[in-house]
């Protein structure tokens, strides 16, 4: 992106602050959900479009975003006619700044770096799913024990009511 590129009018976007810059991501534009990322340099008072791997930052609106360290965390939102998503994606803003500024037309974020970020995201999601599975297995075991206890009580009740 050329410096001076401004984001199109939008709603439902997110905006975070990192390194004295505002990062505006996604939202709903006149033609549908947007997948773009713009940065506003507060000191220079100028807009630029940042280039990121499209598979990482899909078009979405109505999402929330925050910054932790240099990571922009984007959660939820909708991708169009599909229902709201519970996806969490994150983008290393330091890497975005390194690859997009100091050039005239912006440089795409290195694909292996994006793949590494995607692997980290999937590993995190997998750990959450494993945690949910372990919790469900524990709940199932408790229910099995309760059922076994109820079955034992029912057997005792039947045995004590038999007339000899």
């Amino acid at each position: 992106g050329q410096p001076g590129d401004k984001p199109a009018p939008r709603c439902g976007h997110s905006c975070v602050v990192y390194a004295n810059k505002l990062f505006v991501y996604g939202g709903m534009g006149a033609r549908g959900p947007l997948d773009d990322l713009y940065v506003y340099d507060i000191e220079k008072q100028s807009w630029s479009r940042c280039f990121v791997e499209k598979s990482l930052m899909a078009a979405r609106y109505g999402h929330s975003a925050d910054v932790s360290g240099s990571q922009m965390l984007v959660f939820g939102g909708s991708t169009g006619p599909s229902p709201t998503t519970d996806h969490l994606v994150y983008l290393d803003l330091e890497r975005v700044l390194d690859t997009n500024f100091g050039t005239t037309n912006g440089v795409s974020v290195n694909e292996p770096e994006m793949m590494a970020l995607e692997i980290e995201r999937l590993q995190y999601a997998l750990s959450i799913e494993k945690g949910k599975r372990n919790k469900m297995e524990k709940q199932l075991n408790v229910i099995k024990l309760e059922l076994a206890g109820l079955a034992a009580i029912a057997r005792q009740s039947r045995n004590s009511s038999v007339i000899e």
Side-chain angles (χ1 to χ4, degrees), residues 80-103:
S82 63
T84 301
T85 178
D86 64 353
H87 293 143
L88 172 68
V89 294
Y90 52 97
L91 184 65
D92 188 330
L93 296 177
E94 194 61 41
R95 214 172 270 166
V96 169
L97 291 174
D98 286 346
T99 57
N100 280 273
F101 292 94
T103 65

Side-chain angles (χ1 to χ4, degrees), residues 43-156:
E43 291 176 10
K44 295 178 183 176
Q45 296 186 3
S46 66
W47 285 101
S48 296
R49 182 165 182 181
C50 292
F51 294 91
V52 295
E53 182 66 37
K54 294 294 182 197
S55 64
L56 183 65
M57 302 295 279
R60 70 173 70 195
Y61 63 95
H63 55 279
S64 59
D66 203 354
V67 173
S68 177
S70 67
Q71 300 290 321
M72 178 178 174
L73 306 165
V74 179
F75 178 76
S78 185
T79 56
S82 63
T84 301
T85 178
D86 64 353
H87 293 143
L88 172 68
V89 294
Y90 52 97
L91 184 65
D92 188 330
L93 296 177
E94 194 61 41
R95 214 172 270 166
V96 169
L97 291 174
D98 286 346
T99 57
N100 280 273
F101 292 94
T103 65
T104 46
N105 6 352
V107 178
S108 293
V109 174
N110 190 337
E111 189 171 337
E113 291 174 354
M114 285 294 109
M115 291 173 76
L117 283 173
E118 182 67 6
I119 288 169
E120 288 175 27
R121 185 191 69 77
L122 290 171
Q123 287 172 333
Y124 176 74
L126 181 60
S127 70
I128 290 173
E129 290 303 316
K130 284 181 181 177
K132 287 179 185 176
R133 190 176 103 206
N134 289 342
K135 184 177 178 182
M136 289 174 61
E137 286 175 353
K138 287 178 185 176
Q139 290 174 338
L140 182 60
N141 287 336
V142 167
I143 292 169
K144 284 179 181 177
L145 288 172
E146 289 173 353
L147 284 174
L150 290 172
I153 291 170
R155 279 193 303 275
Q156 268 183 343

Side-chain angles (χ1 to χ4, degrees), residues 150-162:
L150 290 172
I153 291 170
R155 279 193 303 275
Q156 268 183 343
S157 176
R158 273 184 282 161
N159 290 342
S160 64
S161 64
V162 173

